[in-house]
Amino acid sequence: MRQFFLDYFKAVSNEQYHNPRTGLRTYILTFPNGGARLELMQQPNTINADPSKPNIGFIHISFALGNKETVDAKTIELRDAGYQVISGPRTTGDGYYESCILGPEGIQIEITI
């Protein structure tokens, strides 16, 4: 998951934090242009999500890339890297231009203007 965001969305990562007592491992990722941050955590006995079933809670993350051409190019890049394109690129009913791919661990990654 960490490498996906570093490779495709220019995130910058801290060094891994590891708590040997609890087994917790975590990275903080910072994204350019806006200061958004994402904490990726791994704990022993964590249940893996089944991407074929609806999720409750955190469903997707969206990245605004600025224009249609960049959305199209990023969608092609991710598809060619083996990620499943779920929808788009398209203009949605509420007027957003976007595509959605299934990223690592079944998380939907929305790519929009």
Side-chain angles (χ1 to χ4, degrees), residues 41-102:
M41 299 171 70
Q42 179 184 26
Q43 290 184 294
N45 302 321
T46 300
I47 298 172
N48 292 325
D50 182 347
S52 68
K53 296 180 181 175
N55 293 313
I56 297 174
F58 179 68
I59 300 295
H60 79 278
I61 187 169
S62 180
F63 290 91
L65 301 183
N67 58 58
K68 286 183 177 184
E69 293 78 18
T70 307
V71 171
D72 293 346
K74 184 61 68 178
T75 303
I76 291 167
E77 177 185 9
L78 290 165
R79 182 200 65 208
D80 290 351
Y83 293 97
Q84 179 185 354
V85 177
I86 298 171
S87 66
R90 66 189 178 102
T91 301
T92 63
D94 55 358
Y96 287 95
Y97 188 78
E98 67 180 34
S99 67
C100 188
I101 64 108
L102 192 60

Side-chain angles (χ1 to χ4, degrees), residues 1-2 4-6 8-13 28-40 61 63:
M1 181 68 83
R2 175 181 168 265
F4 173 82
F5 289 114
L6 296 177
Y8 297 107
F9 293 97
K10 299 182 181 150
V12 176
S13 178
I28 303 290
L29 305 182
T30 303
F31 295 91
N33 304 323
R37 295 182 354 155
L38 176 64
E39 183 174 13
L40 301 176
I61 187 169
F63 290 91

